[in-house]
Amino acid sequence: VSSGFNNDLTTSTIRVNFDETMTVSRLSLLEHNLKEYIFYYNGVTANTFVISGGDTTASSFISNSETSQYFRSTAILCTSVSIDMKKTITANKEKALGYLVISDTHIVLSRPPASKKYAIQLDPTEVVHTLSDGGTRIQNVADKYKVKLGYEYLATSVRDSLKTVWQLHTEMIFCPFGTTTSWDKVIFPCVWPGNFEFYKFSDDAAGAGFSGNIILQETPR
C-alpha cells in the first residue's frame, strides 16, 4: 500500500530488480485497486508486455475495473519489472496491491484433467477443542490449498516434461484457470511431494500413453 499517494494526479511505482536476467511470460496481480496503471520491463515505460488471450494486447490500462488479473505474455528476457500505479478504481485512494506474481512457465498442459480426476480443496491447520459441555471450539491457524490432478493417455514427451518439473524438488506456482477478467483468484506457491507415478500404462497397449496423479500442496507465503 502506498503512503502519501492518495491522489489520482500522483504515481506510485513498484520495481522488482532481478539479480540475473529472467524470462517472464506470466504476471498476476491480486486484490489491487488500480484503475489506471502500466507494467513494463527493463525500466523503460515503452517496454509494455504483449498480452495474449486477454481483454487488451498491451500491459497498459486507463479504465480498469478488475481487482485481480492474470496475464499471459510473449516470453521476454527481463532485468526488472515495474508497475506504475496512477489512478485507483475509487478515486484518490492509496494505491494497493495484495499479491504479485512475476513468473515463467515450467509446463502448460494442453488439456485439463477429467472433472472426476481434478480435486482442489482448502485444508485448514486448526486446533479443535472439545469443551466440558460437549461443545466444540476451533482455533484456525491457516488455510492451505491442496490439488490432485489425475491424467490418462499422456504422450511420452508430456510424461518426460512432468518428470523434469517433479525432479526440481522446489517451490513453484500453480494457477489452474487464470484470466484477465472475472478471475476466481486461485493461484499459490506449492511443492510436488511424493512419488512420480507416470510410468504406469493407461491400458494394455503400451503405445496408448501413461497415467498418474500430480499432487500439489501450498507452501508458506
Side-chain angles (χ1 to χ4, degrees):
V1 179
S2 64
S3 178
F5 288 84
N6 54 336
N7 186 322
D8 283 352
L9 297 178
T10 64
T11 297
S12 182
T13 300
I14 296 173
R15 176 167 294 168
V16 180
N17 292 303
F18 303 130
D19 290 334
E20 57 184 288
T21 301
M22 305 291 290
T23 301
V24 176
S25 65
R26 300 291 187 271
L27 299 105
S28 309
L29 291 77
L30 277 75
E31 304 294 349
H32 68 80
N33 65 349
L34 307 177
K35 176 182 179 180
E36 182 177 347
Y37 70 100
I38 179 174
F39 54 96
Y40 51 93
Y41 59 93
N42 297 350
V44 179
T45 54
N47 289 343
T48 55
F49 291 88
V50 178
I51 304 299
S52 60
D55 57 347
T56 183
T57 57
S59 56
S60 179
F61 297 83
I62 296 175
S63 56
N64 171 66
S65 60
E66 297 289 332
T67 57
S68 292
Q69 295 163 293
Y70 181 93
F71 300 101
R72 295 170 176 83
S73 168
T74 303
I76 298 292
L77 294 175
C78 300
T79 57
S80 68
V81 173
S82 306
I83 304 174
D84 285 353
M85 303 177 288
K86 301 178 181 181
K87 296 181 180 179
T88 53
I89 295 172
T90 301
N92 300 318
K93 297 292 185 180
E94 293 288 354
K95 284 75 172 176
L97 174 59
Y99 188 49
L100 172 65
V101 179
I102 302 170
S103 60
D104 190 25
T105 56
H106 285 305
I107 187 171
V108 178
L109 294 167
S110 60
R111 58 181 171 90
S115 59
K116 64 181 179 181
K117 291 183 176 291
Y118 174 74
I120 181 169
Q121 63 190 40
L122 275 171
D123 286 344
T125 299
E126 59 187 13
V127 180
V128 180
H129 303 275
T130 300
L131 305 183
S132 59
D133 65 354
T136 301
R137 177 176 293 157
I138 297 176
Q139 180 181 357
N140 184 269
V141 179
D143 299 321
K144 295 296 182 183
Y145 281 106
K146 182 177 181 179
V147 179
K148 181 178 180 180
L149 307 167
Y151 276 95
E152 296 179 325
Y153 304 104
L154 292 182
T156 302
S157 59
V158 179
R159 180 204 64 185
D160 292 345
S161 295
L162 286 172
K163 183 182 176 184
T164 298
V165 175
W166 178 79
Q167 286 181 317
L168 293 173
H169 300 300
T170 190
E171 184 177 307
M172 55 188 163
I173 296 289
F174 176 70
C175 181
F177 303 108
T179 58
T180 58
T181 60
S182 303
W183 183 26
D184 62 8
K185 299 178 289 188
V186 176
I187 185 172
F188 54 90
C190 61
V191 290
W192 182 351
N195 301 323
F196 183 76
E197 303 179 3
F198 287 91
Y199 285 104
K200 181 173 62 177
F201 294 119
S202 296
D203 60 33
D204 292 339
F210 300 90
S211 299
N213 293 297
I214 304 168
I215 306 295
L216 302 175
Q217 293 180 269
E218 186 176 0
T219 63
R221 296 200 189 190

